[in-house]
Amino acid sequence: MGASSSDNVPNATNGDAPVTSSALPVASGGNTSFWRKNLHELDDLRSTEILPETSDVVIVGGGYAGVATAYHLLELGSTASITLVEARGACSGATGRNGGHMRPDLYGHIPKYIKRFGLEIGSSLAEFEIAHVQAIKAVVEKEKIDCEFTLTRTTDVWCDQDAADRAKAVYEMMVGHGLKYMDDVHFTYGQKAAEGVSGIKNAKACTTYTAGTMFPYKFILHLVGLLHKRGLNIQTHTPVTSVTPNEDGSWTVSTPRGHIKAGKVVHATNAYTKALLPEYAKNIVPCKGICCHIAVPQGSTPPHVQNSFIIRESGNPSVLSYLVPRGDGGIVVGGASSIFRPHLEQWYDNIDDTVLIESAKDYYESFMQKNFRGWEDSGARVTDIWTGVMGYSWDSNPHVGHVPGKEGQLIISGFNGHGMPIIWLAAKGLAEMIVRGKGFEETGMPLLLKTTKERIERAQKGPEGGDILA
């Protein structure tokens, strides 16, 4: 969201041997995210006391990607036996530590992709992300998920004049491409107007468009409950230490609690991908981020914040924060990676989500007072602050599909801290590949998401860090 040299990963029951690995999730502890302060009764779920000896499909990872893949497998009518294993509690990784912001990227990175790959391929990613807002709304309503999902407008704000001018040029360029989805984007330029629309001090330009917010932990744990009832075998506190081939084409999934013989293995491990797929070590790098919850003193009424936000600072437009308002008046805000970017050991290739990023831990004190009109005397303060580990892709694109050279293994990882508007439909596409035997191109997923041997090799041969450190 200094690399750890050896992390003990404990398990929930006596007799489970700890695993030592610098690539596996560290033991839970340290700082707890706001979302996980009140744990669900299924957080430590083990559907069966012992691991199944065999399973047609084993999904490694109990966050958004793993749970979404399991959901779509069952929705597509799969009759296969499916086991989901998670190293810690359910939704304890990046999904349970993110900002709850389902915000499609309509024009941020899309111009870069259009320049690299052409208009059709570049814009297809934006259209794919936009589709998630209504897709999540639909599943929340279908499954009656109480996760505080809100359909809203997101407001992008530029407080630096040069950055605002560049944003205006990008907006006009995207409109000039004739992209239909840009009809939903409203652009406001000029300080008086931008401050009026956004409510942000010193705003020089802003845009608004449709997005969503939610309580991510509640969303995932509700699905865990549904899947458990529908026959999914869920095994928390069960770190996978290796996936090895068998002569009959199956795979042995090894854990401290035993082994599972699997026909197919889905790697939904994001920041921890290289632990089981070392060929992705240069492709998907664990990177820490910071997030916090802000509230006014008890008994006070906070000023109303209606939209979600992306705010870029005045004088330092590279400092970006994302923000979502909650129904109770609280605020969840995170980002500010430019503040800690020079301190590589604190965040780059670092999986220790129990330790805050020291160089940024005080950044969000008085954030609302400094940026939002009407909050000057609110007394708002940070009540909770935490870190999480995201999987950053060398070329900025997630890896989804069949793992090259390993028939029967699939991957859905590397979301660059932007998985909320990508994972749900990517998991659906992956499930179609498993259940219906579709090729990647038949699923409707953007080609930029497809994992390939060429992408893997480019990262292995390219400069350290790739787009991550560009």
Side-chain angles (χ1 to χ4, degrees):
M1 237 252 333
S4 173
S5 58
S6 62
D7 304 305
N8 292 323
V9 185
N11 295 276
T13 60
N14 293 330
D16 292 339
V19 175
T20 300
S21 172
S22 61
L24 291 174
V26 303
S28 298
N31 57 92
T32 301
S33 81
F34 171 79
W35 311 117
R36 289 181 53 82
K37 289 180 71 173
N38 298 302
L39 296 181
H40 192 281
E41 61 182 359
L42 299 180
D43 191 83
D44 292 330
L45 174 64
R46 286 181 174 175
S47 300
T48 56
E49 185 176 346
I50 61 174
L51 294 180
E53 293 183 359
T54 63
S55 186
D56 295 325
V57 180
V58 171
I59 300 171
V60 186
Y64 188 6
V67 171
T69 299
Y71 178 85
H72 287 298
L73 287 172
L74 295 181
E75 282 291 289
L76 289 171
S78 175
T79 58
S81 56
I82 307 170
T83 303
L84 184 148
V85 292
E86 162 59 42
R88 303 185 293 195
C91 196
S92 58
T95 311
R97 295 167 176 266
N98 70 20
H101 201 186
M102 183 161 290
R103 173 189 173 274
D105 179 12
L106 306 192
Y107 51 78
H109 293 295
I110 301 305
K112 175 176 69 176
Y113 296 142
I114 290 174
K115 183 177 181 180
R116 286 183 181 180
F117 307 107
L119 181 62
E120 182 178 354
I121 291 177
S123 63
S124 69
L125 183 56
E127 292 164 358
F128 184 73
E129 294 187 18
I130 291 166
H132 275 73
V133 179
Q134 292 300 327
I136 293 297
K137 180 176 183 291
V139 74
V140 165
E141 293 173 351
K142 174 185 175 182
E143 303 292 3
K144 298 179 173 56
I145 303 175
D146 178 12
C147 64
E148 304 176 23
F149 178 81
T150 303
L151 193 65
T152 186
R153 299 286 285 182
T154 187
T155 306
D156 254 359
V157 182
W158 291 267
C159 297
D160 179 88
Q161 188 60 57
D162 289 341
D165 292 341
R166 291 193 297 271
K168 183 173 185 290
V170 169
Y171 169 77
E172 292 172 347
M173 178 186 70
M174 296 299 288
V175 170
H177 284 310
L179 298 167
K180 183 63 179 175
Y181 69 73
M182 291 298 293
D183 291 348
D184 185 47
V185 181
H186 177 73
F187 188 86
T188 302
Y189 183 81
Q191 182 165 339
K192 183 177 180 179
E195 283 190 349
V197 170
S198 68
I200 302 298
K201 301 173 185 179
N202 299 313
K204 303 298 191 298
C206 68
T207 63
T208 68
Y209 58 89
T210 303
T213 63
M214 69 159 67
F215 197 121
Y217 179 74
K218 287 184 177 180
F219 177 71
I220 297 300
L221 266 294
H222 187 103
L223 291 177
V224 166
L226 291 178
L227 294 170
H228 178 52
K229 291 177 181 177
R230 294 174 187 178
L232 179 70
N233 191 318
I234 300 169
Q235 298 288 333
T236 63
H237 297 280
T238 306
V240 174
T241 55
S242 65
V243 178
T244 54
N246 300 314
E247 291 184 359
D248 62 359
S250 64
W251 299 90
T252 293
V253 178
S254 298
T255 82
R257 299 175 55 220
H259 310 283
I260 308 172
K261 185 176 181 180
K264 288 183 170 60
V265 179
V266 177
H267 297 266
T269 47
N270 205 29
Y272 308 100
T273 297
K274 67 180 179 181
L276 302 177
L277 295 173
E279 61 267 46
Y280 284 88
K282 298 293 186 182
N283 284 264
I284 301 174
V285 179
C287 296
K288 288 171 62 172
I290 199 161
C291 198
C292 68
H293 175 263
I294 295 173
V296 300
Q298 189 172 1
S300 300
T301 301
H304 181 61
V305 177
Q306 182 170 338
N307 296 351
S308 70
F309 282 85
I310 296 289
I311 302 171
R312 298 166 181 84
E313 283 190 359
S314 174
N316 191 357
S318 63
V319 179
L320 178 152
S321 296
Y322 56 84
L323 178 151
V324 300
R326 291 182 29 76
D328 62 4
I331 301 292
V332 174
V333 58
S337 61
S338 292
I339 299 296
F340 55 83
R341 192 176 185 83
H343 308 279
L344 286 181
E345 74 287 351
Q346 294 183 21
W347 66 275
Y348 182 77
D349 203 10
N350 185 331
I351 60 168
D352 193 349
D353 56 12
T354 70
V355 177
L356 285 175
I357 299 173
E358 184 67 24
S359 54
K361 65 182 179 63
D362 299 322
Y363 177 76
Y364 286 108
E365 294 294 342
S366 302
F367 180 83
M368 298 302 292
Q369 290 92 325
K370 288 185 293 185
N371 290 282
F372 281 78
R373 298 195 309 195
W375 281 75
E376 293 84 355
D377 300 317
S378 65
R381 65 179 184 85
V382 173
T383 65
D384 304 88
I385 186 167
W386 62 93
T387 189
V389 188
M390 300 164 284
Y392 270 79
S393 168
W394 186 86
D395 59 10
S396 297
N397 299 314
H399 285 264
V400 183
H402 293 287
V403 175
K406 292 184 176 178
E407 186 174 352
Q409 295 198 47
L410 300 98
I411 186 172
I412 176 168
S413 292
F415 294 102
N416 305 285
H418 190 64
M420 293 292 282
I422 294 179
I423 289 173
W424 186 254
L425 295 179
K428 181 180 180 182
L430 196 72
E432 290 176 345
M433 295 173 71
I434 294 171
V435 176
R436 297 177 178 169
K438 285 188 176 182
F440 185 96
E441 290 77 6
E442 299 174 287
T443 66
M445 288 188 284
L447 290 176
L448 292 174
L449 273 59
K450 184 179 181 180
T451 192
T452 64
K453 180 180 179 182
E454 289 72 26
R455 285 183 66 193
I456 293 172
E457 290 178 345
R458 279 201 303 271
Q460 291 171 343
K461 297 175 182 177
E464 184 71 25
D467 280 357
I468 304 167
L469 299 176

